Amino acid sequence: FDTEYYILTASAEVKKQMIRDDALPDIKSVIVADLDLRDLVRNQVLDAFDDAKFELEYQVKNYEKGDGFDDKELMEVFLRAKKECDEW
């Protein structure tokens, strides 16, 4: 990591157009955008685990009342949580 430069991963044509239009982002905006994206993804991870917790609590209550346990719904929530973790 270096605060003096960044690597633009756009295509050559897009890079040329950005240079012509003087539209290259400065290093500060690149860092802020990266941190904002990390915060967004982290929040999605936390939301997914909250959903998993609440779904498990709901399923346990249903099971204790004798209404059965729906593992399909719970697995969907856990798989979404795993996907969010993989993205993070």
Side-chain angles (χ1 to χ4, degrees):
F1 178 76
D2 192 333
T3 59
E4 298 299 317
Y5 69 93
Y6 61 89
I7 298 172
L8 184 61
T9 58
S11 69
E13 190 59 37
V14 170
K15 287 179 187 179
K16 288 177 189 176
Q17 190 62 46
M18 290 177 80
I19 291 168
R20 281 188 219 116
D21 296 341
D22 195 28
L24 290 172
D26 65 352
I27 192 70
K28 183 178 178 184
S29 62
V30 171
I31 292 170
V32 168
D34 183 56
L35 292 174
D36 288 346
L37 179 60
R38 288 183 201 186
D39 285 344
L40 175 65
V41 174
R42 185 202 65 221
N43 289 344
Q44 289 173 325
V45 168
L46 294 174
D47 287 346
F49 276 98
D50 282 344
D51 291 348
K53 175 186 175 236
F54 295 132
E55 181 62 28
L56 179 60
E57 289 172 352
Y58 174 77
Q59 292 299 334
V60 167
K61 284 180 187 175
N62 278 349
Y63 181 77
E64 290 172 346
K65 289 191 302 188
D67 293 336
F69 191 92
D70 183 6
D71 62 334
K72 292 177 188 146
E73 182 87 21
L74 189 58
M75 279 304 295
E76 286 179 21
V77 175
F78 278 128
L79 289 173
R80 184 174 77 89
K82 181 191 179 312
K83 178 184 160 274
E84 298 296 347
C85 284
D86 291 343
E87 285 184 27
W88 193 31

